[in-house]
Amino acid sequence: MFHQFPAVLLVLFLLLDPILAKKLLGLANDAGPGPQQPPSPSTKFLTLNGGPPEVIAKGGYSGIFPESSQAAYTFAMQMSLPNTIMYCNVQLTRDNLGVCIPTVNIDLSTTAAMAYPKGEKTFNINGKDLRGWYAMDYNLADLKNTTNYIQGILSRPNTFDGVYVVTTPDNIIGYNVTRMWLNIEHDMFYNDHKLSAAKYIQDSAQYWVPSHISSPEIGFLKFMGGQVDKNRTKIIFKFLGKEDVEPTNREKYGAILNDLASVKLFAAGILVPKDYIVPVTPDMYSEPPTTLVADAHKQGLEVYAYGFSNDKMTSYNYSYDPVQEYLQFIDNGQFSVDGMLTEFPYTASNSVGLIISHNGASGDYPGCTDLAYRKAIADGADIIDCTVQISKDKVAFCLANIDLSAITTALATYVDRSKKVPEIQSQNGIFAFDLDWSEIQALKPTIEIPWKDSGLVRNPKNKNKGKFVTLASFLELAKANKTGGILINIQNAAFLASKKGIGVVDAVTRALTKASFDKPSEQKVLIQSDDSSVLSAFKDKPYQRVLTIKDAKSDAPKSVVNEIKKHADAVVVDRETIVEENSAFFTSAFTKVVDEMHASNISVYVTPMRNEYVFLNFDYLSDPYLQLATYFSEMVDGVMTDFPATAVAFMRNPCSDIQNPKTVLPIRPIEAGDLAKIIDPVALPPAFPPNPPLENSDVNDPPLPPVAKVDDKKAPSPGGHKKKSGASRNVDSWYMIISTIVFGLLA
């Protein structure tokens, strides 16, 4: 089913630093063009044994499929090297057999509540009353006949719910797994009910032997240490929260952490929450690493970290880039953990192309500010971009939107300037052309949050940092830093010329000429607009003209492509114009738009690329690198991204050349629609209507009107000279008050 995906180990190919990647592939000495070799035994890491860190797949590929289901395990195997460890949280059934279910109250991740409506019970576990359904109330055969897995995390696909029956360690071995990790969370609880995890493991030893056994209970681990062959099975002590109490000795885990020498007496390693190693502040920023890994290694203890997941909120330092977090634990120059327990055991990338910033590094700083541009340049973006706005006093500057309301503090400062301009948008706004440059400079920029309802925010410490940048300053910055080029985006040109007397095309032309960008040079100049007449105004200049296609399209007929060719050298398209999706947020198919454009020598750029998992189709496994790999596999010529650092790191991967037969483990993109094929159609919500094809009306615009002469001082106020009623004034006042309150809540 998943044959299109490569066998890729997360650690080996998430490390997009070229030197480290070479090291991982045994290429640290760069032997030249000869055949590449796997890591040699002499390759040293900062792990306890000097080998590469282990990857442990928590319940298989639980980031997409229900944890511990057959699909989760088999998919994880397809996405990993043969020695990836498969992790099973073991619960015991009434007949003392093991079943892989994430939690002791099994209704959180299975359909047990539906299968046994009267089966709910309350038990005291480690001093806390826990209500739910329990595996120990049912024989294994009964559970297998009646109970299926469900996805326990709402942000993940529920389309596989109720499909897969519960899995046992025996089943996992049957999937040809080479190493299996058993985690026993509640041995004392099961013993109180005359069940024994130790006996279950001993009885199964003639069929399979786990590579690791972990537990947060010291008594269980001490007993198992005398029962297993320690050359074949490692005993691992799992730490819970520092204030939680270990059941055997009744000490807090935080206290035990200070006595690792005692842990060494019964365990070969420790499994700890990742924030034991790299703490995160309450406001979600990383602190310097602790000495835990070094301290444990001094005692001869291996250190495994858990809590890794692409689609859970983590430190803002990582900019929603899971690779950066992994690197912090395995390639920081000071230490490396010996393994990572993850719900996403695959993050990969592929290919080459142009990296264009999207309002600078707007995922890290307010878009189009000096800091966003400097960050994009430092991150290695090929092209930095400026969407041009014009102030009332005719100053050209960079800002993502002509409406200042959502991306500056204008709503709090100039709420009385709010008005509706139907030619631009349906809702009220505070527009750049109504404020002088000095008034705009008095505002603060605001970092844009694409999905406020998701609960995800972007770097709060940088929320209002940075300064607004004039077009002239932007051009100077690009020249001084010798960027690969610039992109100038022009919007609303016809409206500004006819209604406001602002010639944005003329302003851009003058600025480019003054900065000498009108002459051929090594720095590219791209002019972007959704108005073909704007692009035509630059036809005699040495610029690449880029037409914005506003909405997702399914096809680009030859006749329409020919019309585009009259005005533009390239197009900017929505992601779904290239990779279509279904109503369940899975990819469904690739379109032919890129091929159709390339047939007429028209370049294709895709926008916007973002790291946040809520933006990524489920097929991308909550991994921005896999999305980049897929779009570049479709031969797009560039991506516009809020996070240039991620795209640059992706490009540096030395194993991205899937055509090179010498590549040891080529990294491959997804196959659109692959996961959707295994979804029961009944589980899908109503289908989206198909995207329309490109039409001539999407391309051809009327000629630009001449720049009108507008006397703003004599311009009548909205509504002419008619006196407003008191009621109208009261409504306006209330609108201003409510708008200010709403802004304050959103800020």
Side-chain angles (χ1 to χ4, degrees), residues 23-52:
K23 182 179 178 183
L24 285 165
L25 289 171
L27 302 176
N29 296 323
D30 199 1
Q36 298 179 2
Q37 300 296 325
S40 68
S42 62
T43 300
K44 289 293 182 181
F45 294 81
L46 296 178
T47 54
L48 182 62
N49 64 11

PDB file of all heavy atoms in Angstrom, residues 23-52:
ATOM      1  N   LYS A  23      28.436  12.658   7.955  1.00  0.00           N
ATOM      2  CA  LYS A  23      28.929  11.832   9.057  1.00  0.00           C
ATOM      3  C   LYS A  23      28.029  10.634   9.263  1.00  0.00           C
ATOM      4  O   LYS A  23      28.477   9.504   9.447  1.00  0.00           O
ATOM      5  CB  LYS A  23      29.012  12.679  10.321  1.00  0.00           C
ATOM      6  CG  LYS A  23      29.553  11.951  11.544  1.00  0.00           C
ATOM      7  CD  LYS A  23      29.613  12.914  12.722  1.00  0.00           C
ATOM      8  CE  LYS A  23      30.099  12.201  13.973  1.00  0.00           C
ATOM      9  NZ  LYS A  23      30.099  13.105  15.140  1.00  0.00           N
ATOM     10  N   LEU A  24      26.737  10.881   9.205  1.00  0.00           N
ATOM     11  CA  LEU A  24      25.785   9.796   9.399  1.00  0.00           C
ATOM     12  C   LEU A  24      25.891   8.755   8.311  1.00  0.00           C
ATOM     13  O   LEU A  24      25.599   7.589   8.507  1.00  0.00           O
ATOM     14  CB  LEU A  24      24.366  10.356   9.453  1.00  0.00           C
ATOM     15  CG  LEU A  24      24.012  11.072  10.759  1.00  0.00           C
ATOM     16  CD1 LEU A  24      22.755  11.899  10.562  1.00  0.00           C
ATOM     17  CD2 LEU A  24      23.823  10.072  11.862  1.00  0.00           C
ATOM     18  N   LEU A  25      26.250   9.187   7.137  1.00  0.00           N
ATOM     19  CA  LEU A  25      26.364   8.251   6.023  1.00  0.00           C
ATOM     20  C   LEU A  25      27.773   7.679   5.886  1.00  0.00           C
ATOM     21  O   LEU A  25      28.106   7.052   4.893  1.00  0.00           O
ATOM     22  CB  LEU A  25      25.974   8.958   4.717  1.00  0.00           C
ATOM     23  CG  LEU A  25      24.484   9.256   4.589  1.00  0.00           C
ATOM     24  CD1 LEU A  25      24.226  10.139   3.389  1.00  0.00           C
ATOM     25  CD2 LEU A  25      23.710   7.971   4.464  1.00  0.00           C
ATOM     26  N   GLY A  26      28.632   7.942   6.879  1.00  0.00           N
ATOM     27  CA  GLY A  26      29.990   7.449   6.795  1.00  0.00           C
ATOM     28  C   GLY A  26      30.799   8.179   5.770  1.00  0.00           C
ATOM     29  O   GLY A  26      31.760   7.661   5.217  1.00  0.00           O
ATOM     30  N   LEU A  27      30.451   9.457   5.510  1.00  0.00           N
ATOM     31  CA  LEU A  27      31.114  10.215   4.456  1.00  0.00           C
ATOM     32  C   LEU A  27      31.899  11.387   5.022  1.00  0.00           C
ATOM     33  O   LEU A  27      32.169  12.358   4.333  1.00  0.00           O
ATOM     34  CB  LEU A  27      30.078  10.754   3.459  1.00  0.00           C
ATOM     35  CG  LEU A  27      29.219   9.686   2.786  1.00  0.00           C
ATOM     36  CD1 LEU A  27      28.180  10.364   1.905  1.00  0.00           C
ATOM     37  CD2 LEU A  27      30.080   8.762   1.964  1.00  0.00           C
ATOM     38  N   ALA A  28      32.257  11.347   6.300  1.00  0.00           N
ATOM     39  CA  ALA A  28      32.906  12.491   6.926  1.00  0.00           C
ATOM     40  C   ALA A  28      34.210  12.848   6.234  1.00  0.00           C
ATOM     41  O   ALA A  28      34.623  14.001   6.205  1.00  0.00           O
ATOM     42  CB  ALA A  28      33.160  12.208   8.398  1.00  0.00           C
ATOM     43  N   ASN A  29      34.884  11.866   5.654  1.00  0.00           N
ATOM     44  CA  ASN A  29      36.138  12.144   4.960  1.00  0.00           C
ATOM     45  C   ASN A  29      35.942  12.456   3.494  1.00  0.00           C
ATOM     46  O   ASN A  29      36.909  12.673   2.781  1.00  0.00           O
ATOM     47  CB  ASN A  29      37.086  10.945   5.105  1.00  0.00           C
ATOM     48  CG  ASN A  29      37.485  10.724   6.546  1.00  0.00           C
ATOM     49  OD1 ASN A  29      37.681  11.692   7.281  1.00  0.00           O
ATOM     50  ND2 ASN A  29      37.598   9.458   6.962  1.00  0.00           N
ATOM     51  N   ASP A  30      34.661  12.441   3.043  1.00  0.00           N
ATOM     52  CA  ASP A  30      34.324  12.819   1.676  1.00  0.00           C
ATOM     53  C   ASP A  30      35.192  12.083   0.665  1.00  0.00           C
ATOM     54  O   ASP A  30      36.084  12.630   0.022  1.00  0.00           O
ATOM     55  CB  ASP A  30      34.470  14.330   1.485  1.00  0.00           C
ATOM     56  CG  ASP A  30      33.709  14.809   0.260  1.00  0.00           C
ATOM     57  OD1 ASP A  30      33.083  13.952  -0.388  1.00  0.00           O
ATOM     58  OD2 ASP A  30      33.743  16.014  -0.034  1.00  0.00           O
ATOM     59  N   ALA A  31      34.918  10.822   0.524  1.00  0.00           N
ATOM     60  CA  ALA A  31      35.751   9.967  -0.314  1.00  0.00           C
ATOM     61  C   ALA A  31      35.574  10.202  -1.795  1.00  0.00           C
ATOM     62  O   ALA A  31      36.163   9.524  -2.611  1.00  0.00           O
ATOM     63  CB  ALA A  31      35.460   8.498   0.006  1.00  0.00           C
ATOM     64  N   GLY A  32      34.804  11.188  -2.175  1.00  0.00           N
ATOM     65  CA  GLY A  32      34.663  11.479  -3.585  1.00  0.00           C
ATOM     66  C   GLY A  32      33.518  10.751  -4.220  1.00  0.00           C
ATOM     67  O   GLY A  32      32.561  10.364  -3.560  1.00  0.00           O
ATOM     68  N   PRO A  33      33.596  10.502  -5.542  1.00  0.00           N
ATOM     69  CA  PRO A  33      32.437  10.005  -6.276  1.00  0.00           C
ATOM     70  C   PRO A  33      32.188   8.514  -6.160  1.00  0.00           C
ATOM     71  O   PRO A  33      31.316   7.998  -6.814  1.00  0.00           O
ATOM     72  CB  PRO A  33      32.784  10.388  -7.725  1.00  0.00           C
ATOM     73  CG  PRO A  33      34.279  10.344  -7.761  1.00  0.00           C
ATOM     74  CD  PRO A  33      34.735  10.814  -6.412  1.00  0.00           C
ATOM     75  N   GLY A  34      32.939   7.827  -5.364  1.00  0.00           N
ATOM     76  CA  GLY A  34      32.739   6.393  -5.259  1.00  0.00           C
ATOM     77  C   GLY A  34      31.441   6.039  -4.570  1.00  0.00           C
ATOM     78  O   GLY A  34      30.719   6.899  -4.075  1.00  0.00           O
ATOM     79  N   PRO A  35      31.095   4.756  -4.496  1.00  0.00           N
ATOM     80  CA  PRO A  35      29.840   4.330  -3.867  1.00  0.00           C
ATOM     81  C   PRO A  35      29.770   4.792  -2.418  1.00  0.00           C
ATOM     82  O   PRO A  35      30.741   4.690  -1.674  1.00  0.00           O
ATOM     83  CB  PRO A  35      29.899   2.798  -3.972  1.00  0.00           C
ATOM     84  CG  PRO A  35      30.871   2.523  -5.071  1.00  0.00           C
ATOM     85  CD  PRO A  35      31.866   3.629  -5.032  1.00  0.00           C
ATOM     86  N   GLN A  36      28.599   5.264  -2.012  1.00  0.00           N
ATOM     87  CA  GLN A  36      28.406   5.677  -0.634  1.00  0.00           C
ATOM     88  C   GLN A  36      28.215   4.450   0.242  1.00  0.00           C
ATOM     89  O   GLN A  36      27.678   3.439  -0.179  1.00  0.00           O
ATOM     90  CB  GLN A  36      27.189   6.591  -0.516  1.00  0.00           C
ATOM     91  CG  GLN A  36      27.350   7.871  -1.306  1.00  0.00           C
ATOM     92  CD  GLN A  36      26.111   8.724  -1.186  1.00  0.00           C
ATOM     93  OE1 GLN A  36      25.172   8.365  -0.502  1.00  0.00           O
ATOM     94  NE2 GLN A  36      26.113   9.859  -1.855  1.00  0.00           N
ATOM     95  N   GLN A  37      28.659   4.573   1.488  1.00  0.00           N
ATOM     96  CA  GLN A  37      28.588   3.457   2.418  1.00  0.00           C
ATOM     97  C   GLN A  37      27.756   3.839   3.631  1.00  0.00           C
ATOM     98  O   GLN A  37      27.684   5.000   4.005  1.00  0.00           O
ATOM     99  CB  GLN A  37      30.007   3.069   2.881  1.00  0.00           C
ATOM    100  CG  GLN A  37      30.914   2.640   1.739  1.00  0.00           C
ATOM    101  CD  GLN A  37      30.426   1.389   1.052  1.00  0.00           C
ATOM    102  OE1 GLN A  37      29.880   0.503   1.697  1.00  0.00           O
ATOM    103  NE2 GLN A  37      30.614   1.304  -0.248  1.00  0.00           N
ATOM    104  N   PRO A  38      27.143   2.854   4.283  1.00  0.00           N
ATOM    105  CA  PRO A  38      26.444   3.134   5.534  1.00  0.00           C
ATOM    106  C   PRO A  38      27.434   3.591   6.591  1.00  0.00           C
ATOM    107  O   PRO A  38      28.644   3.470   6.420  1.00  0.00           O
ATOM    108  CB  PRO A  38      25.808   1.785   5.902  1.00  0.00           C
ATOM    109  CG  PRO A  38      25.869   0.968   4.652  1.00  0.00           C
ATOM    110  CD  PRO A  38      27.052   1.450   3.881  1.00  0.00           C
ATOM    111  N   PRO A  39      26.943   4.112   7.707  1.00  0.00           N
ATOM    112  CA  PRO A  39      27.845   4.537   8.765  1.00  0.00           C
ATOM    113  C   PRO A  39      28.750   3.402   9.208  1.00  0.00           C
ATOM    114  O   PRO A  39      28.311   2.291   9.451  1.00  0.00           O
ATOM    115  CB  PRO A  39      26.889   4.952   9.894  1.00  0.00           C
ATOM    116  CG  PRO A  39      25.598   5.251   9.209  1.00  0.00           C
ATOM    117  CD  PRO A  39      25.547   4.338   8.035  1.00  0.00           C
ATOM    118  N   SER A  40      30.036   3.705   9.311  1.00  0.00           N
ATOM    119  CA  SER A  40      30.976   2.670   9.729  1.00  0.00           C
ATOM    120  C   SER A  40      30.931   2.513  11.235  1.00  0.00           C
ATOM    121  O   SER A  40      30.540   3.420  11.957  1.00  0.00           O
ATOM    122  CB  SER A  40      32.391   3.065   9.298  1.00  0.00           C
ATOM    123  OG  SER A  40      32.822   4.187  10.047  1.00  0.00           O
ATOM    124  N   PRO A  41      31.347   1.361  11.744  1.00  0.00           N
ATOM    125  CA  PRO A  41      31.327   1.155  13.196  1.00  0.00           C
ATOM    126  C   PRO A  41      32.187   2.167  13.941  1.00  0.00           C
ATOM    127  O   PRO A  41      31.985   2.412  15.116  1.00  0.00           O
ATOM    128  CB  PRO A  41      31.852  -0.276  13.349  1.00  0.00           C
ATOM    129  CG  PRO A  41      31.577  -0.933  12.036  1.00  0.00           C
ATOM    130  CD  PRO A  41      31.723   0.152  11.013  1.00  0.00           C
ATOM    131  N   SER A  42      33.188   2.751  13.255  1.00  0.00           N
ATOM    132  CA  SER A  42      34.083   3.693  13.913  1.00  0.00           C
ATOM    133  C   SER A  42      33.520   5.103  13.988  1.00  0.00           C
ATOM    134  O   SER A  42      34.077   5.953  14.669  1.00  0.00           O
ATOM    135  CB  SER A  42      35.425   3.721  13.174  1.00  0.00           C
ATOM    136  OG  SER A  42      35.226   4.174  11.834  1.00  0.00           O
ATOM    137  N   THR A  43      32.420   5.373  13.280  1.00  0.00           N
ATOM    138  CA  THR A  43      31.824   6.696  13.329  1.00  0.00           C
ATOM    139  C   THR A  43      31.345   6.988  14.744  1.00  0.00           C
ATOM    140  O   THR A  43      30.624   6.206  15.333  1.00  0.00           O
ATOM    141  CB  THR A  43      30.642   6.804  12.356  1.00  0.00           C
ATOM    142  OG1 THR A  43      31.106   6.555  11.039  1.00  0.00           O
ATOM    143  CG2 THR A  43      30.015   8.197  12.416  1.00  0.00           C
ATOM    144  N   LYS A  44      31.741   8.133  15.306  1.00  0.00           N
ATOM    145  CA  LYS A  44      31.451   8.439  16.692  1.00  0.00           C
ATOM    146  C   LYS A  44      30.381   9.521  16.816  1.00  0.00           C
ATOM    147  O   LYS A  44      30.412  10.531  16.115  1.00  0.00           O
ATOM    148  CB  LYS A  44      32.731   8.895  17.405  1.00  0.00           C
ATOM    149  CG  LYS A  44      33.740   7.763  17.630  1.00  0.00           C
ATOM    150  CD  LYS A  44      33.198   6.745  18.633  1.00  0.00           C
ATOM    151  CE  LYS A  44      34.217   5.639  18.908  1.00  0.00           C
ATOM    152  NZ  LYS A  44      33.678   4.640  19.861  1.00  0.00           N
ATOM    153  N   PHE A  45      29.462   9.286  17.715  1.00  0.00           N
ATOM    154  CA  PHE A  45      28.466  10.272  18.105  1.00  0.00           C
ATOM    155  C   PHE A  45      28.643  10.531  19.603  1.00  0.00           C
ATOM    156  O   PHE A  45      29.385   9.822  20.282  1.00  0.00           O
ATOM    157  CB  PHE A  45      27.056   9.765  17.801  1.00  0.00           C
ATOM    158  CG  PHE A  45      26.773   9.610  16.333  1.00  0.00           C
ATOM    159  CD1 PHE A  45      27.210   8.488  15.653  1.00  0.00           C
ATOM    160  CD2 PHE A  45      26.083  10.582  15.641  1.00  0.00           C
ATOM    161  CE1 PHE A  45      26.954   8.339  14.300  1.00  0.00           C
ATOM    162  CE2 PHE A  45      25.826  10.442  14.294  1.00  0.00           C
ATOM    163  CZ  PHE A  45      26.264   9.322  13.618  1.00  0.00           C
ATOM    164  N   LEU A  46      27.927  11.477  20.104  1.00  0.00           N
ATOM    165  CA  LEU A  46      28.020  11.804  21.523  1.00  0.00           C
ATOM    166  C   LEU A  46      27.011  11.008  22.347  1.00  0.00           C
ATOM    167  O   LEU A  46      26.646  11.412  23.450  1.00  0.00           O
ATOM    168  CB  LEU A  46      27.834  13.307  21.733  1.00  0.00           C
ATOM    169  CG  LEU A  46      28.928  14.165  21.091  1.00  0.00           C
ATOM    170  CD1 LEU A  46      28.638  15.639  21.301  1.00  0.00           C
ATOM    171  CD2 LEU A  46      30.303  13.805  21.657  1.00  0.00           C
ATOM    172  N   THR A  47      26.569   9.882  21.791  1.00  0.00           N
ATOM    173  CA  THR A  47      25.758   8.937  22.558  1.00  0.00           C
ATOM    174  C   THR A  47      26.683   8.145  23.483  1.00  0.00           C
ATOM    175  O   THR A  47      27.911   8.245  23.400  1.00  0.00           O
ATOM    176  CB  THR A  47      25.024   7.977  21.616  1.00  0.00           C
ATOM    177  OG1 THR A  47      25.993   7.352  20.755  1.00  0.00           O
ATOM    178  CG2 THR A  47      24.021   8.722  20.756  1.00  0.00           C
ATOM    179  N   LEU A  48      26.092   7.349  24.363  1.00  0.00           N
ATOM    180  CA  LEU A  48      26.914   6.593  25.307  1.00  0.00           C
ATOM    181  C   LEU A  48      27.830   5.613  24.588  1.00  0.00           C
ATOM    182  O   LEU A  48      28.997   5.465  24.953  1.00  0.00           O
ATOM    183  CB  LEU A  48      26.008   5.847  26.294  1.00  0.00           C
ATOM    184  CG  LEU A  48      26.732   5.047  27.392  1.00  0.00           C
ATOM    185  CD1 LEU A  48      27.556   5.975  28.275  1.00  0.00           C
ATOM    186  CD2 LEU A  48      25.722   4.265  28.234  1.00  0.00           C
ATOM    187  N   ASN A  49      27.308   4.937  23.547  1.00  0.00           N
ATOM    188  CA  ASN A  49      28.127   3.934  22.853  1.00  0.00           C
ATOM    189  C   ASN A  49      28.800   4.471  21.604  1.00  0.00           C
ATOM    190  O   ASN A  49      29.476   3.720  20.899  1.00  0.00           O
ATOM    191  CB  ASN A  49      27.286   2.697  22.516  1.00  0.00           C
ATOM    192  CG  ASN A  49      26.166   2.998  21.532  1.00  0.00           C
ATOM    193  OD1 ASN A  49      26.111   4.075  20.934  1.00  0.00           O
ATOM    194  ND2 ASN A  49      25.252   2.052  21.369  1.00  0.00           N
ATOM    195  N   GLY A  50      28.622   5.752  21.296  1.00  0.00           N
ATOM    196  CA  GLY A  50      29.269   6.340  20.132  1.00  0.00           C
ATOM    197  C   GLY A  50      28.566   6.075  18.823  1.00  0.00           C
ATOM    198  O   GLY A  50      28.999   6.554  17.771  1.00  0.00           O
ATOM    199  N   GLY A  51      27.463   5.314  18.854  1.00  0.00           N
ATOM    200  CA  GLY A  51      26.714   5.032  17.635  1.00  0.00           C
ATOM    201  C   GLY A  51      25.602   6.043  17.418  1.00  0.00           C
ATOM    202  O   GLY A  51      25.366   6.932  18.255  1.00  0.00           O
ATOM    203  N   PRO A  52      24.910   5.948  16.294  1.00  0.00           N
ATOM    204  CA  PRO A  52      23.817   6.886  16.033  1.00  0.00           C
ATOM    205  C   PRO A  52      22.669   6.685  17.014  1.00  0.00           C
ATOM    206  O   PRO A  52      22.436   5.578  17.494  1.00  0.00           O
ATOM    207  CB  PRO A  52      23.380   6.556  14.599  1.00  0.00           C
ATOM    208  CG  PRO A  52      23.848   5.162  14.364  1.00  0.00           C
ATOM    209  CD  PRO A  52      25.087   4.989  15.181  1.00  0.00           C
TER     210      PRO A  52
END
